[in-house]
Amino acid sequence: MNPVDRLILGLDAALRTVAGVHEAARPSPGESVPEAELAEGQRAHAAALMRVNHVGEVCAQALYQGQALTVRSESNREALERAAREEQDHLAWSAERIEELGGRPSLLNPLWYGGAFVLGAAAGALGDRWNLAFLAETERQVEEHLTGHLERLCAEDAKTRAVVEGMRLDEAKHRQSAMALGAAEMPEPLKLAMRAMAKVMTTVAYRF
Ligand SMILES: [Fe+2]
Ligand SMILES: [Fe+2]
């Protein structure tokens, strides 16, 4: 694929992500789980947590797109594209779950997408080892974050929990594959900076 085709595909993906057009290749892990009786507050809380997760997945789309544009090695590109396809499932699953819970996606999605795209492209420009390092660390933090959500979701809400758990398993796989491809280890200050940014993003996205 030549760079212009790649750019057009990238723009298409950006518009779809921000416009909320998602297609999952795999059924949602929550699909066959029955809906629990939830109190109004619990439902709103679950919808807000899923909005945060959906923003995370919007950012994942942007990161992977940004990185795919700059990655050097063809085999690394294929691994990135494979993970990006699974992230598309996450995007669709979380959007679907928000809707089922009566919530709405973040109003700031175009902003989140733009920011994450720039970060992904910047990491990509530093070379594949750092590109993969950034990816591995992102996936690790997302995995931890989803574990935190499993603690914060009410125990009866098995349907939301199944979606979060399904995503968490994939993120662990993405981290392992980035490491297997030769990711460098991120310096501690950068990890902390990523955590701080994620904190701002998750706090804002819980409300807006
Ligand atoms: Fe994901
Ligand atoms: Fe992931």
Side-chain angles (χ1 to χ4, degrees):
M1 200 187 296
N2 70 43
V4 176
D5 287 345
R6 230 187 272 294
L7 202 66
I8 291 171
L9 274 181
L11 272 175
D12 181 62
L15 288 172
R16 280 165 183 276
T17 303
V18 171
V21 183
H22 318 309
E23 255 171 62
R26 298 170 294 167
S28 167
E31 195 182 69
S32 55
V33 182
E35 196 73 66
E37 284 284 335
L38 297 176
E40 191 51 45
Q42 288 175 327
R43 181 172 281 272
H45 174 62
L49 291 180
M50 287 315 288
R51 173 162 62 241
V52 171
N53 292 335
H54 183 256
V55 165
E57 297 303 333
V58 165
C59 291
Q61 288 301 309
L63 278 181
Y64 277 104
Q65 285 293 334
Q67 290 179 315
L69 276 183
T70 45
V71 69
R72 319 294 207 262
S73 124
E74 213 34 59
S75 62
N76 286 356
R77 182 191 306 283
E78 277 164 24
L80 289 177
E81 285 172 351
R82 226 182 354 260
R85 275 196 294 279
E86 296 191 344
E87 302 294 6
Q88 271 173 27
D89 290 348
H90 299 176
L91 193 68
W93 298 345
S94 48
E96 183 185 54
R97 192 59 195 140
I98 292 175
E99 209 181 306
E100 290 166 351
L101 288 162
R104 52 152 181 80
S106 173
L107 301 169
L108 303 172
N109 275 339
L111 202 72
W112 305 127
Y113 189 96
F117 183 87
V118 170
L119 277 180
L126 294 175
D128 283 5
R129 249 169 72 77
W130 291 105
N131 195 356
L132 291 166
F134 184 63
L135 193 66
E137 181 58 23
T138 303
E139 296 287 4
R140 196 169 67 86
Q141 292 190 15
V142 174
E143 196 185 329
E144 280 175 18
H145 167 87
L146 292 173
T147 306
H149 277 197
L150 287 173
E151 284 158 16
R152 291 169 68 192
L153 281 166
C154 73
E156 300 81 58
D157 190 359
K159 202 170 175 72
T160 308
R161 301 181 72 85
V163 177
V164 172
E165 182 58 35
M167 284 162 49
R168 194 173 75 117
L169 289 173
D170 281 347
E171 314 302 10
K173 218 170 57 187
H174 299 160
R175 173 177 56 80
Q176 284 155 6
S177 101
M179 286 166 68
L181 291 169
E185 182 66 22
M186 270 307 223
E188 270 319 306
L190 273 181
K191 287 186 190 173
L192 286 175
M194 285 170 69
R195 252 176 227 289
M197 273 194 306
K199 181 79 197 153
V200 172
M201 188 267 263
T202 53
T203 308
V204 175
Y206 184 88
R207 308 195 52 196
F208 305 103

